[in-house]
């Protein structure tokens, strides 16, 4: 996310949306998912309910 | 020329929400004469309410107006809000539960409370509080600006005092139910607001995209239109914008949870795990914001030509949606101003009451006096914002808020590092804060309040987020002075917090 040259391009497109845009949007979703996973894993480890 | 179908839908929703706000005091009842009940909802909000509250709090009416406006005006650089929010939640996931725990165990209402006890420094606590209060004021004013923009789009533009009546009415309603119910009122209203916003944005994006011939068509139209402007813009990010983009994203992410209204939202949760689960779920709002940002492009593709960039979203709605649905959307945005404005005024009131009034004016105040002061202050803060909005050109409010954003990041070292270590010396943190404030102010003032400052390093010019540069200065000074003060034996004061205060209770929240 913090290295724009990696994603500053139009292709590959998804549903007509340039890569620059859907890549960043998907990272938002991903961050939520990753946080959720980390949460679930750390709870399992520390023995909460 | 009033748009009656839009206005009637707008008025009905607005009235409904106002009534709802007044019932707020009865929601999960508590003794509203206690500051933590009024100001933090008694720390009782569970997973769902917290999601609605923080979501409604962070995603303000001004955000929904300004982000698409920025996209319309600038193109790709405006999309830094996407990586910004992707970074912000992981950061908060790590530190916010820890802060919640220490706050619960020691009875803190504000970040400044923590600074006071952790570092045994009233001055550090005072500067944190004052910085926080200063940032809330323009932000509230901008919410009222958001309402003004929407009112204007409904065709209710009179001149002189008539033009201001709707905003004044909105303000009075907001002030009344916040005074009574404290944080519970916006919590309840947030449920409605967020539901309206989600419905509006999802439906609008489907309708508008379909009308404009699909995403591919939108993007292929917008690209050339952006390039053809007097100040050319583009769909892709030009390489010279990379450093600005990255620093804006990182700096904004770090600053987001330093804001008093974010802290208030977090502290009102019923437990640290509520916060963790929300950090996983709140990104949903960011996806929404991302879609709203795309509205800026849709407006370009649709040929919307607003007289002021802030009118982009309202004009787009009026042009592309049936009038009644536009009214629905406007109500969502206007109500979307009331929730954060209420929370911001409560947050400012909490800071003033705890860290200025109780600290310096009346240390032996009763619960009643404390909550009474807070109620009064929240009223004054809103009133001040109203006067500011009505009397001062919008330009100033925007600039003030941009500057305040630079300021709030300077409290990051004290608060975030303080949660994990006492290595930094309290006096060093104070002076470092001061250095950061000075650098931020100079950079903004010298750059017409543009947030991206071109830093000259030798032969290079690196444009970057001024707040982050100021933070770097802050950090350097703080580290250097910590080492110096320790060497000189300057007193560090006593840490009133204990390690066990940071531990979460065994029972799951």
């Amino acid at each position: 996310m913090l290295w724009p040259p990696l994603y500053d391009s139009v292709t590959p497109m998804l549903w007509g949306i340039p890569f620059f845009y859907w890549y960043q949007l998907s990272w938002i979703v991903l961050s939520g998912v990753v946080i959720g996973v980390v949460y679930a894993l750390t709870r399992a480890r520390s023995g909460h309910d | 020329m009033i748009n009656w179908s839009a206005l009637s839908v707008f008025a009905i929703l607005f009235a409904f929400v106002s009534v709802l706000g007044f019932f707020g005091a009865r929601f999960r009842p508590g003794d509203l004469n206690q500051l933590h009940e009024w100001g933090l909802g008694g720390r009782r909000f569970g997973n769902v309410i917290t999601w609605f509250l923080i979501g409604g709090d962070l995603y303000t009416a001004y955000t929904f107006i300004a982000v698409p406006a920025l996209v319309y005006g600038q193109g790709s650089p405006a999309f830094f809000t996407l990586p910004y929010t992707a970074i912000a939640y992981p950061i908060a996931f790590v530190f916010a539960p820890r802060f919640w725990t220490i706050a619960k165990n020691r009875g803190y209402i504000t970040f400044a409370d923590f600074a006071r006890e952790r570092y045994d420094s009233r001055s550090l606590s005072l500067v944190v509080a004052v910085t926080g209060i200063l940032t809330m004021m323009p932000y509230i004013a901008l919410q009222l600006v958001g309402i003004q923009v929407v009112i204007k789009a409904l065709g209710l533009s009179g001149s002189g005092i008539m033009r201001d009546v709707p905003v004044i009415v909105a303000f009075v309603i907001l002030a009344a139910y916040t005074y009574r119910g404290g944080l519970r009122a916006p919590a309840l209203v947030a449920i409605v607001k967020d539901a309206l916003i989600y419905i509006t944005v999802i439906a609008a994006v489907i309708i508008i995209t379909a009308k404009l011939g699909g995403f591919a068509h939108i993007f292929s139209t917008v690209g050339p239109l952006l390039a053809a402007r007097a100040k050319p813009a583009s769909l892709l990010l030009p390489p010279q914008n990379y450093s600005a983009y990255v620093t804006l994203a990182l700096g904004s992410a770090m600053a987001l949870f330093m804001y008093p209204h974010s802290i208030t939202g977090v502290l009102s949760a019923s437990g640290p795990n509520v916060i963790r689960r929300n950090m996983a779920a709140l990104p949903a709002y960011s996806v929404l914001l991302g879609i709203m940002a795309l509205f800026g492009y849709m407006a370009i593709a649709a040929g919307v030509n607003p007289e002021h960039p802030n009118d982009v979203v309202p004009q787009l709605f009026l042009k592309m949606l049936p009038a009644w649905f536009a009214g629905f959307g406007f109500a969502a945005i206007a109500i979307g101003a009331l929730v954060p404005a209420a929370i911001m005024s409560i947050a400012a009131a909490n800071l003033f009451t705890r860290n200025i009034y109780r600290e310096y004016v009346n240390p032996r105040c009763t619960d009643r006096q404390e909550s009474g002061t807070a109620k009064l202050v929240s009223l004054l803060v809103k009133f001040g914002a109203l006067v500011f909005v009505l009397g001062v050109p919008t330009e100033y409010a925007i600039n003030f808020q941009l500057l305040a954003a630079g300021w709030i990041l300077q409290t990051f070292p004290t608060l975030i590092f303080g949660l994990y270590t006492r290595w930094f010396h309290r006096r060093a943190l104070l002076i470092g804060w001061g250095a950061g404030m000075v650098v931020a102010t100079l950079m903004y003032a010298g750059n017409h309040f543009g947030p991206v400052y071109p830093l000259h390093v030798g032969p290079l010019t690196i444009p970057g987020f001024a707040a982050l540069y100021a933070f770097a200065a802050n950090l350097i000074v703080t580290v250097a002075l910590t080492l110096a003060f320790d060497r000189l034996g300057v007193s560090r004061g006593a840490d009133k917090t204990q390690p066990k205060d940071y531990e979460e209770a065994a029972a799951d929240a």
Side-chain angles (χ1 to χ4, degrees):
Chain A
M1 285 263 82
L2 289 175
W3 196 248
L6 255 163
Y7 53 89
D8 192 15
S9 86
V10 174
T11 54
M13 284 201 182
L14 185 67
W15 303 321
I17 304 177
F19 186 61
F20 181 69
Y21 296 98
W22 69 258
Y23 179 77
Q24 295 186 80
L25 274 168
S26 61
W27 258 108
I28 296 175
V29 175
L30 258 155
S31 74
V33 169
V34 166
I35 292 175
V37 167
V38 169
Y39 170 65
L41 290 176
T42 48
R43 268 188 52 173
R45 213 189 323 136
S46 60
H48 282 180
D49 69 355
Chain B
M1 188 211 58
I2 299 182
N3 189 331
W4 288 106
S5 16
L7 181 59
S8 44
V9 173
F10 177 87
I12 293 170
L13 283 168
F14 207 84
F16 169 62
V17 158
S18 306
V19 169
L20 195 63
F22 282 102
F23 282 102
R26 311 228 190 130
F27 182 57
R28 282 176 214 239
D31 177 12
L32 290 167
N33 283 322
Q34 304 221 7
L35 186 59
H36 70 276
E37 287 286 345
W38 184 86
L40 287 183
R43 295 185 228 257
R44 288 215 235 153
F45 297 142
N47 292 317
V48 175
I49 301 290
T50 302
W51 186 79
F52 279 107
L53 181 69
I54 299 186
D57 187 15
L58 297 182
Y59 296 88
T60 72
Y62 186 67
T63 312
F64 293 135
I65 296 280
V67 168
L70 202 63
V71 169
Y72 182 90
Q74 285 188 3
S76 51
F79 278 86
F80 78 88
T81 48
L82 298 184
Y84 148 35
T85 52
I87 299 169
Y89 291 114
I91 295 178
F93 176 75
V94 171
F95 87 80
R98 188 174 171 86
F99 181 62
W100 186 95
T101 305
I102 184 79
K104 174 76 195 283
N105 287 337
R106 308 261 341 150
Y108 299 151
I109 305 265
T110 70
F111 245 152
D113 283 342
F114 171 69
R116 169 92 178 71
E117 290 216 330
R118 179 69 159 154
Y119 291 102
D120 194 12
S121 169
R122 296 172 91 196
S123 36
L124 201 51
S125 160
L126 183 65
V127 302
V128 166
V130 169
T131 311
I133 295 173
L134 284 176
T135 58
M136 292 288 86
M137 311 206 57
Y139 221 155
I140 298 175
L142 288 176
Q143 302 315 315
L144 297 178
V145 167
I147 297 182
Q148 272 184 329
V149 167
V150 154
I151 301 276
K152 185 169 118 182
L154 285 169
L156 282 171
S157 43
S159 53
I161 196 75
M162 272 315 293
R163 188 178 47 108
D164 297 331
V165 165
V167 178
I168 296 176
V169 168
F171 160 81
V172 168
I173 294 173
L174 167 71
Y177 65 62
T178 309
Y179 188 89
R180 272 196 59 188
L183 199 61
R184 286 175 169 82
L188 210 53
V189 175
I191 300 173
V192 175
K193 171 222 165 160
D194 297 334
L196 291 178
I197 290 278
Y198 270 97
I199 294 172
T200 303
V201 173
I202 293 174
V205 76
I206 294 173
I207 296 174
I208 298 177
T209 309
K211 273 197 178 176
L212 288 174
F215 279 118
H217 186 255
I218 294 173
F219 280 103
S220 58
T221 319
V222 168
L225 284 172
L226 283 173
R229 287 182 174 174
K231 246 177 118 190
S234 65
L235 280 179
L236 287 183
L237 195 61
Q240 65 261 28
N241 285 74
Y242 286 167
S243 58
Y245 196 78
V246 165
T247 52
L248 275 167
L250 183 59
S252 306
M254 287 164 64
L256 180 62
F257 282 93
M258 299 296 103
Y259 281 101
H261 66 293
S262 316
I263 298 300
T264 299
V266 163
L267 288 183
S268 68
S270 55
N273 282 326
V274 168
I275 298 173
R276 292 192 176 101
R277 290 181 205 123
N278 266 282
M279 292 307 152
L282 284 167
Y285 285 93
S286 289
V287 174
L288 205 68
L289 182 61
I291 297 175
M292 285 211 80
L294 290 175
F295 282 165
Y297 283 160
M298 291 178 206
I300 298 176
V304 168
N305 207 355
E307 54 180 59
H308 188 284
N310 277 347
D311 296 321
V312 164
V313 165
Q315 291 303 319
L316 178 68
F317 281 7
L318 283 175
K319 186 164 186 175
M320 306 293 293
L321 301 171
W324 68 266
F325 189 46
F328 186 88
F330 293 160
I333 295 177
I335 295 166
L338 296 184
V339 170
I343 303 176
M344 287 168 188
S345 68
I346 292 172
N350 286 344
L351 277 169
F352 183 87
T353 305
R354 261 294 159 97
N355 306 114
I356 297 179
Y357 174 73
R358 194 174 88 161
E359 186 70 33
Y360 294 101
V361 176
N362 189 358
R364 265 179 284 276
C365 61
T366 63
D367 281 343
R368 251 214 133 113
Q369 283 175 314
E370 208 186 19
S371 61
T373 307
K375 288 175 185 173
L376 185 62
V377 170
S378 91
L379 208 58
L380 286 173
V381 162
K382 289 195 271 286
F383 187 69
L386 182 71
V387 166
F388 198 71
V389 165
L390 296 182
V392 171
T394 312
E395 200 69 48
Y396 292 119
I398 296 175
N399 289 342
F400 189 5
Q401 202 277 323
L402 288 170
L403 181 58
W407 286 342
I408 198 69
L409 187 55
Q410 308 317 317
T411 59
F412 189 96
T414 304
L415 302 170
I416 302 304
F417 298 157
L419 274 176
Y420 294 96
T421 170
R422 264 198 114 221
W423 184 83
F424 294 91
H425 193 287
R426 58 186 178 156
R427 304 281 179 236
L429 282 167
L430 184 64
I431 299 176
W433 167 88
M437 295 289 280
V438 167
V439 171
T441 310
L442 286 176
M443 281 188 171
Y444 273 91
N447 198 27
H448 308 288
F449 293 97
V452 179
Y453 185 83
L455 186 68
H456 303 284
V457 181
L460 296 170
T461 302
I462 309 173
F465 190 25
L468 206 56
Y469 284 147
F471 175 77
N474 183 346
L475 203 56
I476 293 170
V477 168
T478 306
V479 169
L481 287 180
T482 297
L483 294 168
F485 286 150
D486 277 343
R487 176 144 276 223
L488 291 170
V490 179
S491 158
R492 278 176 160 264
D495 181 1
K496 293 200 178 61
T497 65
Q498 308 253 329
K500 69 167 168 43
D501 292 328
Y502 295 91
E503 282 164 36
E504 298 173 19
D508 190 272

